[in-house]
Amino acid sequence: MTALFLHVIERDMLAYRRMWLIFLTGFAEPLLYLLSIGVGVGALVGTVQVGGQTVDYEVFVAPGLLAAAAMNGSVFDTTFNFFFKFKYARSFDAMLATPLRTTDVAVGELSWALLRGSIYAAAFLVTMALLGLVPSGWGILCLPAAMLIGFAFAGAGMAATTWMRSFVHFDYVNLAIITLFLFSATFFPVSRYPTGIQWLIEITPLYQGVALERALALGDLNWTLLIRVVYLAAMGIVGVRVAGARLRLLLQP
């Protein structure tokens, strides 16, 4: 694969010149969640036990919201936007009339989603630091971890979208995202769930991201973090390969 995919990123950047307000809204949602749930509800909850430490609730919930923000940012671009370009705008047909290949299109679209999500994650992490919600120096690694989460969900979202035939199918996407957001130990420890539910949660993709971000923010490092990294990386790689193959089948029969 050559650097031709960079032209796809350039195209997406130019398209957002006239939609900068939509781009900026991505900063607002996670910040509002942090202030309302983390700081607001945190005053009522007090402290939480996690990783052998006792931390304030806002310190506990902030890394989870960072992981969720990385997921939401990447999924939006690689599902709704990707589907519109593919099904209605026919942007990919125009791209493939150039020297671009389907793999270039898939990698370019994923890279743009990852770039956009990384900007949101960086702004959110800076906000966390300013509010004193990153107690460990290892928290600097929360940004690359957020990029990895974005990569995983971008690949999976793009692959899934190639099988969708109408916007009705995005109800399932919303259902999956909301379920993961609420039940991935984002707002309270996984130990609060019954044992059987704990096992189910611990194999979900967002939980891997939440646990990774929280461990880095609190400095609670252990070998299981490598498993989470491999899980998310494999999810992204498989997703982008499937998306490239599906685009080749659908657009270049």
Side-chain angles (χ1 to χ4, degrees):
M1 183 181 63
T2 66
L4 290 175
F5 74 92
L6 294 175
H7 294 293
V8 180
I9 302 175
E10 180 185 13
R11 179 262 173 204
D12 288 330
M13 292 178 66
L14 291 174
Y16 267 92
R17 287 186 306 172
R18 299 183 183 278
M19 296 184 289
W20 59 270
L21 188 59
I22 295 175
F23 189 91
L24 291 179
T25 57
F27 294 100
E29 183 180 2
L31 180 59
L32 290 175
Y33 270 117
L34 178 61
L35 295 177
S36 62
I37 297 178
V39 179
V41 177
L44 302 175
V45 175
T47 59
V48 177
Q49 288 282 343
V50 57
Q53 304 180 47
T54 300
V55 300
D56 291 334
Y57 182 70
E58 56 266 31
V59 174
F60 170 83
V61 80
L65 291 174
L66 175 58
M71 174 188 70
N72 290 334
S74 61
V75 165
F76 180 80
D77 258 320
T78 55
T79 54
F80 293 95
N81 289 350
F82 185 86
F83 182 78
F84 178 78
K85 295 173 188 175
F86 169 58
K87 191 74 173 179
Y88 295 98
R90 299 293 183 182
S91 301
F92 300 153
D93 293 279
M95 292 179 190
L96 293 175
T98 72
L100 290 172
R101 298 170 299 174
T102 54
T103 304
D104 296 316
V105 173
V107 173
E109 288 294 327
L110 183 141
S111 299
W112 164 247
L114 186 56
L115 176 62
R116 182 178 176 183
S118 299
I119 294 172
Y120 294 153
F124 189 80
L125 183 59
V126 168
T127 303
M128 286 171 57
L130 292 175
L131 293 174
L133 304 180
V134 188
S136 170
W138 289 103
I140 192 67
L141 296 179
C142 285
L143 179 56
M147 295 174 66
L148 179 62
I149 296 166
F151 172 66
F153 280 95
M158 188 183 300
T161 303
T162 60
W163 269 280
M164 296 181 186
R165 292 294 175 264
S166 76
F167 279 107
V168 174
H169 293 153
F170 286 100
D171 290 340
Y172 299 110
V173 175
N174 288 328
L175 177 61
I177 292 302
I178 292 172
T179 302
L180 289 173
F181 180 57
L182 295 176
F183 300 101
S184 294
T186 310
F187 298 108
F188 41 86
V190 70
S191 58
R192 296 289 184 177
Y193 293 98
T195 301
I197 302 299
Q198 287 183 37
W199 294 342
L200 181 61
I201 290 172
E202 288 172 354
I203 63 172
T204 60
L206 182 58
Y207 176 78
Q208 312 305 315
V210 170
L212 179 60
E213 294 284 15
R214 189 166 286 143
L216 292 172
L218 298 178
D220 181 26
L221 306 184
N222 55 74
W223 67 271
T224 61
L225 298 184
L226 293 176
I227 298 177
R228 307 193 194 288
V229 168
V230 171
Y231 180 117
L232 294 169
M235 181 175 165
I237 291 170
V238 171
V240 74
R241 287 185 176 276
V242 170
R246 287 284 298 165
L247 287 176
R248 186 162 52 250
L249 177 66
L250 295 170
L251 299 178
Q252 295 181 329

